[in-house]
Amino acid sequence: SQKIEQNSEALNIQEGKTATLTCNYTNYSPAYLQWYRQDPGRGPVFLLLIRENEKEKRKERLKVTFDTTLKQSLFHITASQPADSATYLCALTGANNLFFGTGTRLTVIP
Amino acid sequence: GAVVSQHPSWVICKSGTSVKIECRSLDFQATTMFWYRQFPKQSLMLMATSNEGSKATYEQGVEKDKFLINHASLTLSTLTVTSAHPEDSSFYICSAIQEGAYNSPLHFGNGTRLTVT
């Protein structure tokens, strides 16, 4: 069965640094990969979508890479701010399925 | 942007009673809605996929007679937890697809915190 792992349950980083979150998957070949942000007690909010034929996608301070050979996506937040503190989820999408990773709880320390 | 409204945001009920949770797409037609359950510090667990006008598709291990899903219109899906028990206490979240394609971003409701006493 498919498995999605996000590198760490929690990540602490100093304000201003770049946060890098990892999403690894096995037994699956997703056509798309998405990243979401979830704040406590709230539903996830869509951030970025990257297709299997795209290497990199950017949106403001966010950057996502997608390596189908390594079966890995990296999610970067540059110039991190305390307001970026949240749980970040990767999600793999195919034709008829959608699977979420376990999430990484990011804390940006002022 | 697309908005999904979920109601209620929290509910406390007694064991053995039923609870209905509503999920509405406010400014778009959602042909497909998803229902998730999330336990503390865990990821979203897909419970079922709801398509307008047809029976929901449940994930393995999810009791369809316990978690009743109705998707009667393009803007409303409901999840009813029947004969709730304390182990059903969780955070339930719905999401909707705007174009009916799995490659579209999901729009999530803000979730319902269910506590069964």
Side-chain angles (χ1 to χ4, degrees):
Chain A
S1 61
Q2 66 285 331
K3 187 176 179 182
I4 306 166
E5 288 185 337
Q6 294 190 239
N7 60 325
S8 55
E9 187 177 322
L11 177 66
N12 295 331
I13 191 167
Q14 205 69 35
E15 181 178 5
K17 301 292 185 183
T18 296
T20 298
L21 285 65
T22 305
C23 178
N24 294 296
Y25 58 94
T26 58
N27 300 330
Y28 199 64
S29 295
Y32 305 87
L33 190 144
Q34 303 181 25
W35 283 89
Y36 290 80
R37 168 183 173 142
Q38 186 176 23
D39 291 286
R42 307 294 294 268
V45 174
F46 170 75
L47 295 175
L48 281 168
L49 178 152
I50 187 167
R51 294 174 174 77
E52 60 179 341
N53 60 351
E54 296 177 317
K55 297 291 186 185
E56 183 179 296
K57 202 82 169 277
R58 291 175 183 263
K59 179 182 176 183
E60 299 173 351
R61 294 185 295 112
L62 308 180
K63 185 178 84 171
V64 171
T65 63
F66 192 9
D67 189 325
T68 56
T69 301
L70 293 178
K71 293 185 180 294
Q72 181 183 80
S73 174
L74 299 179
F75 177 80
H76 306 274
I77 305 176
T78 58
S80 59
Q81 304 167 0
D84 295 327
S85 299
T87 296
Y88 292 86
L89 303 164
C90 66
L92 305 183
T93 57
N96 296 302
N97 307 81
L98 178 68
F99 304 101
F100 279 89
T102 51
T104 295
R105 189 172 64 255
L106 174 68
T107 301
V108 180
I109 303 166
Chain B
V3 177
V4 174
S5 174
Q6 192 171 336
H7 179 80
S9 56
W10 61 271
V11 58
I12 301 173
C13 71
K14 292 186 176 180
S15 186
T17 61
S18 295
V19 174
K20 179 184 282 188
I21 302 169
E22 292 188 349
C23 181
R24 294 181 184 272
S25 57
L26 297 185
D27 54 357
F28 66 98
Q29 293 187 330
T31 53
T32 304
M33 289 188 175
F34 303 92
W35 287 95
Y36 297 86
R37 182 166 51 183
Q38 186 175 36
F39 293 105
K41 297 187 178 181
Q42 294 189 21
S43 190
L44 301 169
M45 297 285 294
L46 180 64
M47 298 175 67
T49 302
S50 167
N51 290 298
E52 185 267 338
S54 62
K55 290 184 178 180
T57 302
Y58 290 81
E59 294 299 303
Q60 192 173 9
V62 178
E63 299 175 57
K64 62 180 180 181
D65 294 330
K66 180 169 184 61
F67 298 99
L68 301 178
I69 292 173
N70 183 279
H71 193 163
S73 77
L74 286 171
T75 59
L76 174 64
S77 176
T78 60
L79 167 68
T80 301
V81 183
T82 63
S83 187
H85 289 101
E87 56 265 32
D88 297 325
S89 298
S90 186
F91 191 53
Y92 293 86
I93 310 174
C94 70
S95 68
I97 287 182
Q98 191 164 5
E99 297 175 352
Y102 286 75
N103 56 5
S104 299
L106 292 181
H107 306 287
F108 285 87
N110 270 329
T112 297
R113 173 75 59 194
L114 171 63
T115 302
V116 184
T117 60

